[in-house]
Amino acid sequence: MLITFEGLDFSGKTTQIKLLTDKLRQHSYDVIVVREPGGTPISEKIRDILLDKKNLEMTQIAELLLFSAARTQLVSQIIIPALQSGKIVICDRYDDSTTAYQGCGRGIPLDAVKQINKLATLGTIPDITFFIDIPLSEVAHRLKESKASADRMESSGDAFYEKVRKGFFDIAKSEPERFLVIDGNRRIDTVADEIWKIVSLNLS
Ligand code: TYD
């Protein structure tokens, strides 16, 4: 089973992934967790290029293809073999991020993005995707609180994030069974309980 998490930066999805993983392991499921971009030596190198603030000259198409290149390595080397051996794979971001960030956010035509996503994932579609939604004001607040300096993607501005968030809602509309919107502006344990209820219903 492939479970993916999506959300704007600082949505809390990494915390929720940890809680879900712990819970699944308590129930003796064999789980692996990977993050995008990254998760293989090649993909981690591509991640550094993508997030490096010095790479201001990167074109939007180069950005799209680099995210996709990192993904296809991860899918081939890690995700498909793990699924084939019966593991539960949890992925922190997947191709819905490309649709929302590069397609809806940057404005690259969605039909092209769709084709590239299909190619890069080798047609491997998540069983469930949790989109942890928080309002933009909360993203800005959490960025400030974290005192971390923004990476290249996080320096894209509010108008960009507004489009990305809308992009995620558009995916939810077109694939309501797979792509679930979770209100992330609540207590951590309340969000975790909702996610666990849904996952446990889907476990065999
Ligand atoms: P990361 O530090 O992993 O952020 P987060 O913890 O929020 O996932 O950085 C990943 C960044 O790359 C994030 O800003 C979202 C962006 N991204 C895309 O634009 N397209 C993609 O396909 C993926 C996977 C990520």
Side-chain angles (χ1 to χ4, degrees):
M1 173 154 66
L2 175 60
I3 303 172
T4 62
F5 280 75
E6 299 287 353
L8 296 181
D9 307 70
F10 300 99
S11 60
K13 66 187 163 45
T14 308
T15 304
Q16 292 302 329
I17 287 171
K18 184 167 183 330
L19 292 171
L20 175 61
T21 306
D22 290 348
K23 192 97 181 180
L24 283 165
R25 288 189 176 142
Q26 278 164 23
H27 285 75
S28 304
Y29 285 96
D30 199 354
V31 188
I32 67 158
V33 182
V34 285
R35 68 158 179 191
E36 280 225 55
T40 74
I42 293 175
S43 312
E44 289 291 332
K45 282 189 183 163
I46 297 173
R47 176 187 177 87
D48 291 343
I49 298 171
L50 278 163
L51 299 186
D52 188 343
K53 271 185 103 170
K54 283 190 258 137
N55 288 334
L56 286 175
E57 77 274 30
M58 187 182 295
T59 73
Q60 296 183 352
I61 306 287
E63 182 181 286
L64 166 71
L65 295 175
L66 284 170
F67 276 115
S68 305
R71 174 165 312 122
T72 200
Q73 278 302 136
L74 179 69
V75 171
S76 305
Q77 283 187 269
I78 311 280
I79 295 181
I80 289 180
L83 291 174
Q84 280 171 347
S85 67
K87 293 189 173 114
I88 296 178
V89 179
I90 300 182
C91 195
D92 188 340
R93 297 193 182 280
Y94 197 58
D95 66 345
D96 296 306
S97 274
T98 306
T99 305
Y101 282 77
Q102 281 64 55
C104 306
R106 300 284 193 225
I108 299 175
L110 285 175
D111 52 347
V113 173
K114 232 182 212 167
Q115 294 267 358
I116 290 171
N117 280 346
K118 200 170 166 193
L119 191 70
T121 59
L122 304 158
T124 308
I125 300 168
D127 296 284
I128 315 171
T129 300
F130 293 107
F131 167 52
I132 315 285
D133 181 51
I134 55 170
L136 275 185
S137 53
E138 191 57 27
V139 176
H141 176 70
R142 293 183 189 184
L143 174 64
K144 214 162 142 200
E145 293 275 292
S146 82
K147 295 191 183 83
S149 62
D151 63 32
R152 195 184 62 83
M153 292 304 297
E154 287 158 4
S155 308
S156 301
D158 280 3
F160 174 75
Y161 275 112
E162 205 59 85
K163 286 187 249 174
V164 172
R165 185 170 180 234
K166 183 178 174 299
F168 281 126
F169 279 112
D170 289 345
I171 300 171
K173 251 183 244 149
S174 67
E175 291 179 77
E177 304 222 323
R178 171 184 72 86
F179 194 93
L180 310 177
V181 181
I182 303 288
D183 176 3
N185 214 6
R186 296 174 295 167
R187 287 170 51 117
I188 290 174
D189 53 350
T190 309
V191 176
D193 285 349
E194 185 179 350
I195 291 172
W196 176 245
K197 255 186 217 140
I198 296 165
V199 171
S200 50
L201 281 176
N202 283 274
L203 290 169
S204 47

